[in-house]
Amino acid sequence: MATGSPAPGDDPALAAVPPFVNPPARAPAHTSTPAPVPTPGDVPAATERLLHTLLAEVHTVAPMDLPVLVDRCAPLLGVENIVIYLVDLQQRYLTPLTHGLSTIAVDTSTAGWAYRTIDLRVEESPEGGLMAWLPLVDGAERLGILGIRTVALDPTRLRRCRMLASVLAMAITSKRAYSDSIARRSRTEPMDLPAEMLRALLPPRTIGNDHAVSTAVLEPAYHIGGDAFDHSLTKSTLHAAIFDAMGHNLASGLTTTVAVAGCRNARRAGADLPKLVDTIDQALGQWLPDQYCTGVITQLDLADGLLRWCNCGHPPPLLIRGQRVLDAALERPEQPPMGLPAQFSTAPRAAYEMPLEPGDRVLLYTDGVTEARVEGGGRLGLRRFTDSIIRGAAAGERAPETLRRIIHSILDHQKDQLRDDATLLLIEWRPPRR
């Protein structure tokens, strides 16, 4: 086994790993005989066995039996122990799927550092050997962390652990859609009915590909009134939208639910933006005639960066280019909230266009963000929170982490008691260089 620093061509994340040591004998973890830790010459066979085990079992294993599966895989990976940690709804804690273990704070731990940066982190384990923290990411969505205890971490073991993390991320994403057990492990308090209804409708916090990313946060997580977001990717287009319904009760939650469902229904039928908004208008007018909803619905062409949007009575989107916000770049004539034209107007909806430049960011937000109170009693305002986004980008911070940090700052200054829902959605266009 190699010792010291990784050789050229090995994973650069291993550069800070302490020198490798020979592993001690490993006590059996099950009544059945565990698979032996593979030797370097057994790498192809071990990898084949690991793939067979994962692919054969991960599709049928019950969601809360995933820890048992990864425990059986540990010997094939050549590590001592593996624990799955999932992030909670507010992205403050990493909660183990294995019962009896403690949660880990995202902001003050090595594991949290790995989650925040989506990067491997290795430290000495209190139980001896090493503790490696490997992010669980499905596409662009951060799900949690794998905690891997091992006496040695070489490139072969790391490649196997990354393979396991990739398979688990897909399995967790598919199984959490129908698993109350996983939902419970991601919550730190009871959830109101309107919040339960909207959470079931929301997409992942972050989606993206090599051309663009859309990421969002919504608070309060357990007592939502009428805010929601939606985003989706096709081969050519990134769709993203933000909604803010009148009121803060079950009726406002129903209004937002109808608006999001109408948006998706029209979008999946290939409707253009005016027709899409008209679909929402008609649905609200028919089913919830006393309710309305403001919002911004966008479409971004992934190839050429053309942004198209409809603004329905909502604060205008902000265009961030480089290190500044372009004043009024996306302000256009106001249109009424969704649900009102069906009753009071027959004028067609207008869609606007603007070409983006590579690296541009478009920020959608609800007024609960700008009206939030900060330390000293003043309002957060547009300038303060856009400055935070600009500083985060300048420091190389990923967009999802920037929004997580901002929304926590808002909550902390108001002792988790928001006067209104606060939702942020950030779009980045970053086409590959030709």
Side-chain angles (χ1 to χ4, degrees):
M1 183 180 294
T3 60
S5 301
D10 289 344
D11 194 311
L14 292 173
V17 177
F20 303 141
V21 295
N22 291 323
R26 186 175 187 268
H30 306 283
T31 55
S32 59
T33 304
V37 175
T39 63
D42 193 31
V43 169
T47 301
E48 183 178 348
R49 289 198 302 272
L50 175 59
L51 279 172
H52 176 77
T53 299
L54 286 175
L55 297 179
E57 297 189 33
V58 76
H59 299 292
T60 57
V61 68
M64 293 311 294
D65 286 338
L66 284 172
V68 178
L69 176 60
V70 300
D71 196 40
R72 290 206 305 272
C73 289
L76 285 173
L77 272 69
V79 301
E80 299 295 298
N81 179 254
I82 305 171
V83 178
I84 302 170
Y85 290 83
L86 299 183
V87 74
D88 75 304
L89 286 180
Q90 294 180 305
Q91 302 181 84
R92 290 187 183 274
Y93 301 100
L94 295 163
T95 303
L97 284 187
T98 302
H99 290 279
L101 300 179
S102 301
T103 59
I104 301 174
V106 170
D107 288 310
T108 58
S109 65
T110 305
W113 186 94
Y115 175 83
R116 298 193 309 270
T117 61
I118 318 181
D119 202 1
L120 172 71
R121 193 70 168 176
V122 182
E123 62 183 344
E124 292 185 359
S125 171
E127 301 176 7
L130 306 175
M131 196 70 201
W133 302 102
L134 191 62
L136 281 170
V137 183
D138 183 42
E141 171 76 338
R142 300 181 296 181
L143 304 176
I145 290 291
L146 277 188
I148 303 163
R149 185 164 58 85
T150 179
V151 293
L153 188 62
D154 54 28
T156 297
R157 287 183 174 89
L158 182 57
R159 282 194 298 271
R160 292 173 181 164
C161 289
R162 291 191 189 279
M163 179 176 63
L164 175 65
S166 179
V167 173
L168 285 176
M170 291 186 290
I172 290 167
T173 298
S174 66
K175 294 177 186 299
R176 68 178 177 178
Y178 63 85
S179 170
D180 286 345
S181 298
I182 291 181
R184 289 194 196 103
R185 302 297 286 176
S186 66
R187 299 181 182 185
T188 59
E189 62 180 274
M191 183 174 289
D192 288 351
L193 179 58
E196 190 75 63
M197 181 172 59
L198 280 178
R199 283 288 171 187
L201 192 67
L202 293 180
R205 281 182 292 257
T206 306
I207 64 171
N209 58 17
D210 292 339
H211 290 75
V213 64
S214 175
T215 184
V217 289
L218 190 160
E219 287 288 349
Y222 299 93
H223 312 283
I224 295 173
D227 280 14
F229 64 87
D230 193 31
H231 43 206
S232 176
L233 271 172
T234 68
K235 185 176 182 180
S236 62
T237 307
L238 170 65
H239 302 266
I242 196 168
F243 303 91
D244 185 0
M246 173 189 72
H248 302 90
N249 50 30
L250 183 58
S252 60
L254 287 170
T255 303
T256 307
T257 300
V258 171
V260 173
C263 176
R264 291 177 178 173
N265 181 258
R267 186 181 72 216
R268 291 165 182 171
D272 62 7
L273 275 179
K275 177 60 178 176
L276 187 153
V277 177
D278 180 66
T279 299
I280 300 173
D281 287 333
Q282 298 301 321
L284 291 176
Q286 178 179 0
W287 301 107
L288 296 164
D290 296 326
Q291 296 291 120
Y292 65 86
C293 178
T294 71
V296 178
I297 302 175
T298 71
Q299 295 176 345
L300 174 64
D301 188 292
L302 298 176
D304 61 20
L306 181 66
L307 178 72
R308 302 183 72 244
W309 76 99
C310 283
N311 188 340
C312 306
H314 201 79
L318 300 177
L319 177 58
I320 304 173
R321 180 167 293 164
Q323 303 302 310
R324 66 189 185 95
V325 178
L326 301 189
D327 292 336
L330 302 179
E331 289 187 13
R332 297 294 186 274
E334 292 186 2
Q335 299 185 67
M338 290 171 279
L340 292 185
Q343 303 176 56
F344 305 112
S345 174
T346 58
R349 292 289 190 174
Y352 303 103
E353 297 183 355
M354 183 171 181
L356 301 184
E357 295 182 4
D360 279 356
R361 284 157 288 162
V362 177
L363 181 62
L364 313 181
Y365 62 95
T366 60
D367 53 15
V369 175
T370 54
E371 294 176 2
R373 300 289 174 175
V374 295
E375 192 172 0
R379 292 183 177 182
L380 176 65
L382 281 175
R383 183 172 180 178
R384 288 191 187 185
F385 90 86
T386 53
D387 283 349
S388 295
I389 291 174
I390 291 170
R391 288 196 302 271
E397 193 173 62
R398 296 174 184 267
E401 180 58 25
T402 298
L403 295 196
R404 188 194 75 90
R405 180 174 48 79
I406 290 173
I407 206 74
H408 285 182
S409 176
I410 293 172
L411 287 168
D412 292 342
H413 283 134
Q414 299 189 86
K415 299 180 180 179
D416 288 344
Q417 298 297 318
L418 294 178
R419 298 186 179 186
D420 195 3
D421 297 351
T423 305
L424 292 166
L425 188 147
L426 185 65
I427 302 167
E428 288 187 358
W429 186 51
R430 48 185 191 191
R433 294 182 179 180
R434 298 178 180 178

